[in-house]
């Protein structure tokens, strides 16, 4: 129990620090979101009065008051789920934009991350168990794809599979021209899967090599431990030694990396989503940065921070259940 209380206490402090940093950083950036909107209104020929500026300051969370007062108002808004108003899509709420983009990213990047982790760890386990096999010799090839620039790999796949061989569409999240409405209908799910296959393939190809290499090296190290030798001396089946004794301990470091990967699923893959024009969080963040939409940037960064902390907390708890030695050292 002490182990879990320590972990929860640490993440509560980390959550407060993330929220505070998320409040401070936008206020240290040059520029003012109110000035951005007023400039757009002036360019469109709309009249801008002092009352208009004051109303925008209130709407966007700016205006007067000390930094402490603004911080208190910021915490109160968070407690009510108010992340502010987007400048790019004014007057749409930031929470609405994030809620629209988040399912796309979780479906694409989340599923691709899980697939690459399962395949990478599974193949790495067999590569470490059968050292010198063809699978073991294949690892340098897979790690080469990990070293290739992400955008370059995405562009190569787009060229080969959408232009040279027209197998997949090159952009979008679903077939807009077919009149489909986002939902759980069979037609929409099939279209979204078809459009998301190529971006997902890019993520899997570029990340599977790291999981394979890490698991393979940990398997080789674990197989030299005394308890593995003892298990083999007792005459246990090779499959049981491989799964129960070797793989269970070798996978522990990969779980920590997997937690970070799951946390950053919410962040999306900015390059992949931009190359494929995929309507996820990554593209939303790119648009926010390009247009100096501070409220939207702040909201996206906060969601990313919360997801990373939550994923790490879950895996730390599971880590203690899988390996009791971590609880003993706490």
């Amino acid at each position: 129990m002490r182990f879990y209380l320590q972990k929860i206490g640490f993440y509560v402090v980390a959550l407060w620090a993330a929220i505070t940093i998320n409040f401070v950083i936008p206020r240290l950036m040059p520029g003012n979101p109110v000035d951005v909107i007023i400039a757009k209104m002036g360019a469109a020929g709309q009249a801008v009065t002092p009352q208009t500026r004051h109303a925008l300051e209130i709407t966007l969370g700016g205006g007067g008051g000390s930094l402490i007062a603004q911080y208190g108002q910021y915490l109160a808004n968070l407690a009510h789920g108010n992340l502010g108003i987007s400048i790019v899509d004014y007057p749409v709420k930031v929470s609405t934009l994030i809620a629209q983009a988040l399912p796309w990213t979780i479906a694409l990047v989340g599923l691709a991350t899980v697939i690459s982790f399962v395949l990478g760890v599974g193949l790495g386990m067999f590569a470490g168990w059968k050292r010198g096999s063809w699978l073991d010799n294949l690892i340098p090839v897979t790690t080469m794809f990990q070293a290739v620039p992400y955008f370059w790999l995405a562009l190569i796949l787009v060229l080969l599979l959408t232009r040279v061989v027209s197998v997949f569409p090159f952009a979008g999240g679903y077939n807009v021209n077919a009149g489909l409405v986002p939902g759980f209908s069979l037609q929409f799910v099939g279209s979204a899967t078809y459009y998301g296959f190529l971006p997902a393939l890019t993520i899997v190809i570029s990340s599977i090599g790291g999981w394979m290499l890490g698991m393979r090296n940990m398997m080789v190290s674990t197989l030299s431990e005394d308890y593995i030798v003892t298990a083999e001396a007792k005459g246990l089946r090779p499959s049981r030694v491989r799964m129960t004794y070797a793989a269970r301990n070798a996978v522990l470091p990969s779980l920590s990396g997997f937690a970070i990967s799951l946390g950053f699923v919410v962040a999306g893959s900015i390059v992949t989503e931009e190359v494929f024009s995929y309507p996820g969080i990554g593209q939303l963040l790119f648009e926010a940065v390009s247009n100096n939409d501070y409220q939207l940037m702040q909201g996206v960064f906060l969601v990313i921070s919360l997801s990373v902390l939550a994923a790490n907390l879950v895996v730390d708890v599971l880590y203690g259940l899988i390996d009791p030695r971590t609880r003993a050292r706490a």
Side-chain angles (χ1 to χ4, degrees):
M1 181 60 68
R2 180 184 175 186
F3 169 80
Y4 298 113
L5 291 177
Q6 287 178 344
K7 289 295 181 182
I8 293 175
F10 169 79
Y11 281 104
V12 167
V13 175
L15 174 62
W16 170 80
I19 291 175
T20 303
I21 293 174
N22 197 50
F23 166 80
V24 172
I25 288 181
R27 286 158 178 79
L28 298 178
M29 297 177 63
N32 189 324
V34 176
D35 294 334
V36 174
I37 291 185
I38 288 179
K40 291 183 178 180
M41 294 175 64
Q46 300 179 13
V48 179
T49 64
Q51 291 77 11
T52 303
R53 169 177 282 275
H54 182 65
L56 288 174
E57 288 176 345
I58 295 175
T59 303
L60 298 177
S66 65
L67 194 63
I68 299 299
Q70 293 181 33
Y71 183 62
Q73 183 62 40
Y74 168 74
L75 294 179
N77 289 337
L78 284 183
H80 292 85
N82 182 11
L83 299 178
I85 304 295
S86 171
I87 298 176
V88 178
D89 297 291
Y90 183 84
V92 181
K93 293 182 178 180
V94 169
S95 57
T96 301
L97 294 175
I98 293 177
Q100 292 173 351
L102 195 57
W104 292 96
T105 293
I106 292 178
L108 171 67
V109 186
L111 187 60
T113 301
V114 172
I115 291 174
S116 61
F117 174 78
V118 172
L119 288 177
V121 167
L123 295 175
M125 176 189 66
F126 286 106
W129 181 258
K130 296 289 186 180
R131 284 172 289 178
S133 62
W134 66 270
L135 183 59
D136 193 18
N137 295 326
L138 187 64
I139 289 182
V141 178
T142 60
T143 53
M144 178 194 69
F145 286 109
Q146 189 178 22
V148 171
Y150 209 73
F151 69 92
W152 188 82
L153 178 61
L155 291 174
I156 290 297
L157 290 178
V158 168
L159 175 63
L160 293 178
L161 298 179
T162 68
R163 298 304 184 186
V164 177
V165 181
S166 298
V167 179
F168 298 103
F170 67 92
Y174 64 99
N175 190 355
V176 181
N177 297 326
L180 298 176
V181 178
F184 292 99
S185 64
L186 185 61
Q187 293 81 2
F188 175 77
V189 172
S191 178
T193 302
Y194 177 57
Y195 273 72
F197 184 86
L198 193 55
L201 181 63
T202 305
I203 298 173
V204 171
I205 291 177
S206 63
S207 58
I208 192 173
W211 298 119
M212 286 184 64
L213 181 61
M215 185 62 181
R216 184 264 181 197
N217 292 339
M218 285 305 303
M219 279 291 291
V220 172
S221 177
T222 303
L223 290 174
S224 63
E225 297 290 340
D226 293 339
Y227 59 86
I228 299 294
V229 178
T230 303
E232 292 175 340
K234 288 182 177 180
L236 298 179
R237 297 192 309 274
S239 60
R240 184 179 179 186
V241 175
R242 181 180 65 243
M243 298 299 298
T244 306
Y245 291 86
R248 180 181 178 182
N249 291 280
V251 78
L252 293 177
S254 296
L255 287 177
S256 299
F258 184 57
I260 299 175
S261 299
L262 282 182
F264 279 104
V265 161
V266 177
S269 180
I270 297 177
V271 176
T272 300
E273 292 184 2
E274 188 63 24
V275 169
F276 293 98
S277 298
Y278 195 79
I281 287 291
Q283 190 178 44
L284 186 65
L285 179 58
F286 181 82
E287 293 176 356
V289 173
S290 301
N291 294 279
N292 294 325
D293 194 337
Y294 304 133
Q295 295 279 0
L296 184 55
M297 279 190 284
Q298 185 172 273
V300 172
F301 288 149
L302 180 62
V303 171
I304 293 172
S305 300
L306 294 178
S307 63
V308 172
L309 290 174
N312 278 274
L313 174 60
V314 170
V315 172
D316 274 349
V317 172
L318 294 178
Y319 208 111
L321 296 175
I322 296 173
D323 189 1
R325 294 173 296 181
T326 57
R327 299 198 303 268
R329 291 193 293 264

